[in-house]
Amino acid sequence: MSVTGVLLTYEKQIEWSADTSGYSVQKAAEQLAVRDLIAKARESKATPPTSLTVYSSPDAPALASFPGGKRLYLDPYTGGVFGEGSERTHAFFGAVTDWHRWLGTGGDNRAAARAVTGSCNLIFLFLVMSGFYLWWPRKWTRKSLRAVTWFRTGQGGKARDFNWHNVFGFWSALPLFVVVLSGVVISFPWAGNLVYRIAGEEPPVQQQRGSGPQQEAAEVPLDGLEPLMAKAKQQVENWNNITVQVPQKPDVPVTFALDSGNGGQPQYRAQLALDPANGEVTRWEQYSDYTPGRRMRTWFRFAHTGEFYGIIGQTIAGIASFAAAFLVFTGISLALRRFFGWRGRRVPDSV
């Protein structure tokens, strides 16, 4: 879990770079209307997309999303189809995520595998908390403190492992505590519900995923979509990207997701719903509008990957995961050395 956590540190940035590195946007005076981009995406895939994302950067392609996680990048000025991005990159991170969450299993086995990874998070949380207590120096001297907070050269065997274990544990204790605690909250519904109860709220009712019949997307006229998009762009001045959900029914509010962050910062995201008939706002929801319990639960989700605090947070979370891998390695090494040392000290029975 620690190793896969390191590999997933910059997942979003790597996927975006791999997807768009070979695409050259032909900039013009104006971008195509959202309706036309959706039509171009529909022509290419022979099925309507579920959403369309446009970016504020003039060099960025538009992104059409389809059922099943399929995607299609388009030139926002000409409607030219670039492609589906780097399938190998997405497949790699998909496999790493499967191992991180479900030990690489699929189907009905995922529930059991998730229980295992969740239990590991609980045990690791105890190790992180108790490890800090065991690390605490008996005497606070400069020499004793340096011995457990900085690498010492010229050592090998048990002394080296002990030094590494203390140093990695000391510098990663706080971020690792956040990563592992948030992992527990994500792993177990009771832990997520506890977050709401600590905030003095009743946990929301969990909706079963994949329930209900799947309905085919209807052909809804999109002529009135452009003025709604124009209004959505005015809602947040410094938006980075806006995703519009392609309407599936007429006379139903059109939903927009506005993001002024990096995609993993909920405090910079908002949801907007507009009445297609008159453009009136039917719903406007920001992170600050969440209840305290929902804000805490959302924070745990994105603190786990460090994304809440941007690229710096991701880097710290990645370093903490890297340190955790060394804690596991040195911990097992020290345990084995103690075991074999204990066996070596035993007096053989007389024959």
Side-chain angles (χ1 to χ4, degrees):
M1 292 171 66
S2 298
V3 172
T4 53
V6 174
L7 294 176
L8 292 169
T9 300
Y10 302 113
E11 176 186 6
K12 284 186 173 66
Q13 288 88 345
I14 294 174
E15 286 185 335
W16 174 261
S17 178
D19 281 349
T20 62
S21 60
Y23 301 156
S24 179
V25 173
Q26 302 297 319
K27 288 181 285 188
E30 289 186 359
Q31 294 187 356
L32 285 182
V34 175
R35 173 197 62 193
D36 297 331
L37 289 173
I38 294 174
K40 292 286 187 181
R42 180 188 289 129
E43 290 174 8
S44 177
K45 285 286 190 179
T47 184
T50 56
S51 66
L52 179 79
T53 303
V54 295
Y55 296 84
S56 59
S57 172
D59 298 316
L63 172 62
S65 299
F66 296 82
K70 298 294 183 180
R71 70 195 70 81
L72 190 69
Y73 290 93
L74 305 101
D75 190 315
Y77 298 94
T78 66
V81 175
F82 287 137
E84 300 179 356
S86 176
E87 293 298 324
R88 293 179 62 183
T89 303
H90 287 277
F92 170 77
F93 282 113
V96 174
T97 300
D98 286 347
W99 276 99
H100 188 75
R101 295 177 179 175
W102 305 293
L103 303 178
T105 62
D108 296 336
N109 295 324
R110 283 190 169 181
R114 191 173 185 86
V116 172
T117 57
S119 299
C120 289
N121 273 320
L122 273 175
I123 295 171
F124 205 5
L125 180 62
F126 170 76
L127 290 175
V128 171
M129 297 173 65
S130 60
F132 187 77
Y133 170 77
L134 294 174
W135 167 89
W136 199 265
R138 295 180 180 179
K139 294 182 179 180
W140 282 87
T141 64
R142 182 178 180 180
K143 182 178 180 180
S144 63
L145 194 60
R146 179 178 174 80
V148 293
T149 59
W150 201 249
F151 296 106
R152 302 179 68 178
T153 59
Q155 291 185 324
K158 181 180 178 180
R160 178 205 60 200
D161 293 341
F162 185 77
N163 174 246
W164 284 10
H165 195 78
N166 279 281
V167 173
F168 279 113
F170 171 77
W171 292 106
S172 66
L174 182 57
L176 195 56
F177 173 77
V178 173
V179 170
V180 179
L181 177 62
S182 58
V184 172
V185 172
I186 295 170
S187 298
F188 297 104
W190 61 261
N193 292 340
L194 182 61
V195 172
Y196 284 95
R197 292 194 172 97
I198 291 175
E201 302 174 20
E202 281 297 315
V205 178
Q206 297 291 330
Q207 295 182 352
Q208 187 175 359
R209 296 180 180 179
S211 61
Q214 298 292 326
Q215 297 181 351
E216 294 186 2
E219 293 286 342
V220 178
L222 304 176
D223 296 336
L225 203 55
E226 199 59 28
L228 299 181
M229 174 61 84
K231 187 165 185 176
K233 290 179 178 179
Q234 296 173 358
Q235 195 75 16
V236 176
E237 183 178 353
N238 60 337
W239 60 273
N240 178 49
N241 62 77
I242 298 178
T243 300
V244 54
Q245 298 297 319
V246 178
Q248 304 297 314
K249 297 179 181 179
D251 304 324
V252 173
V254 180
T255 303
F256 298 84
L258 298 93
D259 192 336
S260 56
N262 64 3
Q265 298 175 285
Q267 69 273 35
Y268 298 128
R269 298 194 310 206
Q271 293 285 333
L272 173 69
L274 298 175
D275 190 324
N278 51 30
E280 294 295 325
V281 176
T282 61
R283 183 168 68 93
W284 170 246
E285 185 179 53
Q286 304 177 83
Y287 182 77
S288 57
D289 298 323
Y290 294 176
T291 64
R294 186 181 175 189
R295 283 200 301 269
M296 288 174 59
R297 179 61 182 83
T298 304
W299 178 85
F300 274 114
R301 160 62 186 88
F302 292 99
H304 183 68
T305 57
E307 292 174 287
F308 191 92
Y309 300 103
I311 193 71
I312 294 177
Q314 288 179 256
T315 303
I316 292 175
I319 293 174
S321 296
F322 179 80
F326 268 90
L327 287 174
V328 173
F329 168 75
T330 54
I332 291 176
S333 178
L334 289 169
L336 290 176
R337 292 179 190 278
R338 289 177 180 174
F339 173 74
F340 289 119
W342 168 77
R343 288 200 57 181
R345 292 190 299 270
R346 293 183 63 191
V347 179
D349 295 335
S350 300
V351 179

